[in-house]
Amino acid sequence: MKVKTILVSQPEPKMENSPYSRLIDKEKVKVDFRPFIHVEGVDAKSVRQQKIDLKEHTAIILTSRNAVDHFFRLAEEMRFKVPDSMKYFCQSEAVAYYLQKYVVYRKRKIYVGKRLFSDLVPLIKKYKDEKFLLPSSDVLKPEVPKTLDELDINWKRGIFYKTVISDLSDLRDVYYDILVFFSPSGIESLLHNFPDFEQNDTRIAVFGNSTVKAATGAGLRIDIKAPTPETPSMTMALQKYITSVNKQ
């Protein structure tokens, strides 16, 4: 069956010339974006209940832009003036650059990993005497606490925001040829919103091993997978699949 419509379970990219724009132009398909999950911040009371005192920490480990936003939001809510001496360990350049929204970048001690959490290990090892805070979601990859525990450092996790299933009830009678998922939470949201979901001719596209596992575990048929050596991005995987089925 030919592909005419795609639903991506994420917010629409903000950049004008995104890979999805090129896919739409080239394949003449309709692509809609809808976050299947969203993030909600916790309040200061919840942080205090976790026995977290921001002034006790000398270094912050930041794994995402959400972590940056919610750390500074809660610091303000708790009337904590973040000292200039605070050290920031950012998982990637994108996270580090995002810090500029809140701090004067060149005047702060910022240490940047390449992309994976493990890239931060050599940087954290150099500063083992710091008191680290990890602002995180309620959903955290097991490798993160495991890695930090193995480093034998003084660190504490704070749940500063939560991943929440979005209400998708308005999509009940809307059909798409392809549904695109990037996380197990997206699969969970689909089944929570539509417990009677039947895949039939709907194609499922998934990104990453954990999403593959969640989709398979939910009894879904996976038609498109990324990343692969041939298609490292989701848009490349979609392009390849659409070109193949729409030619028939």
Side-chain angles (χ1 to χ4, degrees), residues 64-86:
S64 69
R65 292 178 184 186
N66 278 327
V68 175
D69 279 335
H70 290 285
F71 168 71
F72 284 99
R73 174 185 63 79
L74 280 159
E76 188 176 344
E77 200 177 310
M78 299 170 87
R79 295 190 175 87
F80 170 67
K81 187 179 184 305
V82 183
D84 294 351
S85 59
M86 184 69 80

Side-chain angles (χ1 to χ4, degrees), residues 26-74:
K26 190 167 183 185
E27 299 297 339
K28 304 294 182 275
V29 289
K30 179 176 185 278
V31 180
D32 289 337
F33 296 88
R34 177 69 177 273
F36 276 36
I37 54 172
H38 62 278
V39 162
E40 288 179 3
V42 307
D43 59 14
K45 183 184 175 186
S46 168
V47 173
R48 290 189 190 101
Q49 284 170 346
Q50 296 173 57
K51 295 188 169 53
I52 289 171
D53 184 350
L54 297 182
K55 65 177 179 289
E56 286 181 357
H57 298 277
T58 58
I60 310 291
I61 300 170
L62 298 165
T63 56
S64 69
R65 292 178 184 186
N66 278 327
V68 175
D69 279 335
H70 290 285
F71 168 71
F72 284 99
R73 174 185 63 79
L74 280 159

